[in-house]
C-alpha cells in the first residue's frame, strides 16, 4: 500500500485520533516539513520524523509507518525568458506529472481609480487539481490530454510546498490543469490546509476557477466562505460555448447564470469572469454587447484573455490587439463593467493560460527576476 502525504489532512487527523494523539500537533509537523524543504542545507536530505521535537512518542512510529513528508517530487523548473514566470514540473507517486506555475507581479505598478496602487512585489501560484481534464475545451492544451486522475488534497498542497522554494507565495489560483470543482472534496480539504497554520493564506488570496459546475458552485460558499470565484465563461451565448467548450452542454448558460446570481447574493463578492479572445469566434462587437447585457446585473470583473497558441492543436487564432481593445471599451463604456486584459506570461515555456500540458523540460536555475504589474488581485 502506498504511503499517504503528510499534507492529506483528513487522513492524518483520522490516524491521529485512532491512536489518541492530539491533532493539534499536525501544524507543527507541517511547519517542520516546509522549513526542511526551503532550507538549501537540508533540502537534499530525507526527513527523519524523529527530528521533530515535542511530539508524543506514539506519533513517531505512526508517521514512519503511514506517511511521507512529500509524495511528490519537483522534477524540473523552467523559467521564462522575461524572468517573471517559472513553471514547475512535479512528479506524482503514481508516476504521472502535473504542472504548476509561479508568476511574479508588482502591485505598485499601474493605477486603480486614478490613484497609485499600494503594495509591492508578490508572487501568485497557479496550481493543478487533476492530471488532465474531462472538460475538453478546444482552446486548452490540458483538455487534449483527456482525464487521467484526480489529485489528492496532499498532492495539491505539495505544489505550494514546492513553489515556496521558488518564492514566497501570497496568492493561489486554481487555474492549472484540471477542473477544480470536479475534484471537489480534495479541493476543499487542500484549501482548508492552506488557510490554516502554518501557511495562513487569506481566503481572499485564493481563487477557484471553474467552467461552471453548477451543483458545486452552489456548495462552494458554504464550505469555503470568503473565497474568490472565477468562471470560465468564454462566450455570451450557449451555442458558442458548446462549440468551444463541449462540457457546456451539461451546464446550460441560463442555469449557470442563475447559480452565479445565487452565489453572489449569498457571498456579496465580485465574481471574476474569464473570457478568452478567439479571432472571429467570440470577439466581435456584437459579442461584447451580448456579454455586457448578460452581466449588467452582476458585480463582476471581466478578464479578457488573449488566446495562447497550443502548437498543432490550435484551430483558433488570437484576436488582434485592436479587437481586444474595442471589446474592452464596449464593456467599460456602454455597460460600466470593470474589464481588464490579462498580461501574457510564460508563453515561451508553455506556462501561459491554456498551455499547460505535461512535457519534460530541462532543469533551469532560478535567478533574480524582474516584475510585472499585478492583474490577478480582485480586491483592490
Amino acid at each position: 500500500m502506498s504511503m499517504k502525504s503528510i499534507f492529506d489532512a483528513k487522513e492524518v487527523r483520522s490516524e491521529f485520533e485512532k491512536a489518541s494523539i492530539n491533532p493539534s500537533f499536525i501544524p507543527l509537523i507541517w511547519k517542520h516539513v516546509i522549513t526542511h524543504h526551503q532550507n538549501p542545507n537540508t533540502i537534499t536530505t530525507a526527513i527523519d520524523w524523529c527530528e521533530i521535537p515535542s511530539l508524543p512518542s506514539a506519533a513517531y512510529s505512526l508517521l514512519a509507518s503511514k506517511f511521507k513528508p512529500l509524495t511528490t517530487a519537483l522534477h524540473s523548473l523552467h523559467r521564462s525568458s522575461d524572468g517573471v514566470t517559472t513553471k514547475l514540473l512535479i512528479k506524482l507517486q503514481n508516476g504521472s506529472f502535473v504542472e504548476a506555475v509561479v508568476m511574479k507581479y508588482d502591485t505598485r505598478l499601474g493605477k486603480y481609480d486614478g490613484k497609485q496602487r499600494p503594495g509591492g512585489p508578490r508572487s501568485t501560484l497557479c496550481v493543478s487539481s487533476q492530471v488532465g481534464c474531462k472538460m475538453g475545451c478546444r482552446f486548452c492544451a490540458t483538455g487534449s490530454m483527456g482525464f487521467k486522475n484526480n489529485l489528492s488534497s496532499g498532492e495539491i498542497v505539495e505544489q505550494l510546498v514546492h513553489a515556496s522554494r521558488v518564492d514566497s507565495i501570497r496568492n493561489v489560483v486554481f487555474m492549472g490543469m484540471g477542473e477544480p470543482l470536479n475534484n471537489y472534496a480534495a479541493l476543499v480539504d487542500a484549501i482548508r490546509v492552506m488557510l490554516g497554520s502554518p501557511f495562513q493564506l487569506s481566503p481572499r488570496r485564493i481563487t477557484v476557477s471553474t467552467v461552471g459546475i453548477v451543483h458545486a458552485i452552489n456548495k462552494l460558499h458554504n464550505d469555503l466562505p470568503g473565497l474568490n470565484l472565477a468562471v470560465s465563461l468564454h462566450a455570451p451565448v450557449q451555442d458558442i460555448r458548446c462549440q468551444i467548450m463541449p462540457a457546456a452542454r451539461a451546464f446550460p448558460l441560463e442555469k449557470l447564470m442563475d447559480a452565479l446570481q445565487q452565489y453572489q447574493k449569498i457571498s456579496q463578492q465580485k465574481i471574476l469572469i474569464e473570457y478568452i479572445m478567439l479571432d472571429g469566434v467570440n470577439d466581435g462587437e456584437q459579442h461584447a454587447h451580448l456579454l455586457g447585457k448578460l452581466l449588467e446585473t452582476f458585480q463582476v470583473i471581466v478578464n479578457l484573455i488573449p488566446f495562447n497558441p497550443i502548437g498543432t492543436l490550435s484551430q483558433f487564432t488570437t484576436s488582434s490587439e485592436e479587437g481586444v481593445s474595442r471589446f474592452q471599451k464596449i464593456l467599460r463604456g456602454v455597460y460600466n463593467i470593470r474589464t481588464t486584459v490579462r498580461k501574457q506570461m510564460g508563453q515561451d515555456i508553455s506556462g501561459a493560460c491554456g498551455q499547460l500540458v505535461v512535457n519534460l523540460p530541462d532543469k533551469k536555475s532560478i535567478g533574480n527576476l524582474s516584475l510585472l504589474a499585478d492583474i490577478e488581485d480582485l480586491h483592490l
Side-chain angles (χ1 to χ4, degrees), residues 94-225:
N94 67 2
S96 298
F97 290 85
V98 292
E99 294 178 332
V101 180
V102 177
M103 300 162 286
K104 295 181 73 71
Y105 300 98
D106 190 336
T107 59
R108 298 166 298 186
L109 301 180
K111 293 185 177 181
Y112 176 61
D113 199 22
K115 300 175 183 177
Q116 190 68 37
R117 296 167 63 174
R122 57 93 168 166
S123 289
T124 290
L125 172 65
C126 177
V127 300
S128 294
S129 55
Q130 298 177 314
V131 182
C133 185
K134 292 179 181 178
M135 298 296 100
C137 297
R138 303 196 190 285
F139 48 80
C140 178
T142 305
S144 69
M145 293 174 59
F147 174 72
K148 308 299 183 184
N149 61 268
N150 284 325
L151 299 188
S152 71
S153 61
E155 289 170 332
I156 295 173
V157 175
E158 286 182 23
Q159 293 173 67
L160 178 55
V161 177
H162 291 304
S164 296
R165 292 169 53 182
V166 176
D167 205 349
S168 177
I169 303 298
R170 193 188 74 159
N171 287 14
V172 173
V173 295
F174 283 80
M175 299 180 181
M177 298 170 66
E179 163 54 56
L181 297 190
N182 268 350
N183 189 13
Y184 189 84
L187 170 78
V188 171
D189 288 347
I191 291 175
R192 285 174 175 162
V193 172
M194 294 177 184
L195 295 175
S197 177
F199 295 104
Q200 300 286 18
L201 292 179
S202 164
R204 294 192 178 275
R205 301 297 182 191
I206 298 178
T207 300
V208 173
S209 176
T210 177
V211 300
I213 313 298
V214 171
H215 61 275
I217 291 173
N218 292 336
K219 295 168 58 180
L220 191 62
H221 178 72
N222 289 333
D223 291 330
L224 294 167

Side-chain angles (χ1 to χ4, degrees), residues 236 275 277 282-289 291 302 304 322-332 339:
Y275 194 98
M277 298 294 289
N282 65 349
D283 67 340
E285 292 185 24
Q286 72 275 24
H287 300 120
H289 284 291
L291 183 62
V302 175
L304 303 179
E322 295 79 8
V324 174
S325 178
R326 188 162 53 246
F327 200 101
Q328 181 185 37
K329 286 177 180 177
I330 291 172
L331 291 178
R332 282 180 168 177
T339 307

Side-chain angles (χ1 to χ4, degrees), residues 7 12-13 16 22-34 52 55 196-200:
F7 293 99
V12 181
R13 288 194 188 97
F16 270 40
N22 193 329
S24 65
F25 288 103
I26 296 173
L28 174 67
I29 299 169
W30 290 340
K31 184 176 181 179
H32 181 88
V33 174
I34 295 165
I52 305 177
L55 297 182
S197 177
F199 295 104
Q200 300 286 18

Side-chain angles (χ1 to χ4, degrees), residues 315-369:
Q315 54 182 295
F316 304 109
T317 54
T318 306
S319 302
S320 67
E321 288 187 16
E322 295 79 8
V324 174
S325 178
R326 188 162 53 246
F327 200 101
Q328 181 185 37
K329 286 177 180 177
I330 291 172
L331 291 178
R332 282 180 168 177
V334 178
Y335 299 96
N336 197 31
I337 295 174
R338 184 180 167 197
T339 307
T340 62
V341 178
R342 183 171 297 184
K343 172 71 178 179
Q344 292 177 297
M345 301 173 67
Q347 254 194 0
D348 59 326
I349 56 170
S350 296
C353 181
Q355 288 188 316
L356 296 190
V357 60
V358 167
N359 52 47
L360 303 178
D362 294 332
K363 294 184 179 180
K364 299 289 182 178
S365 61
I366 304 167
N368 293 324
L369 308 182

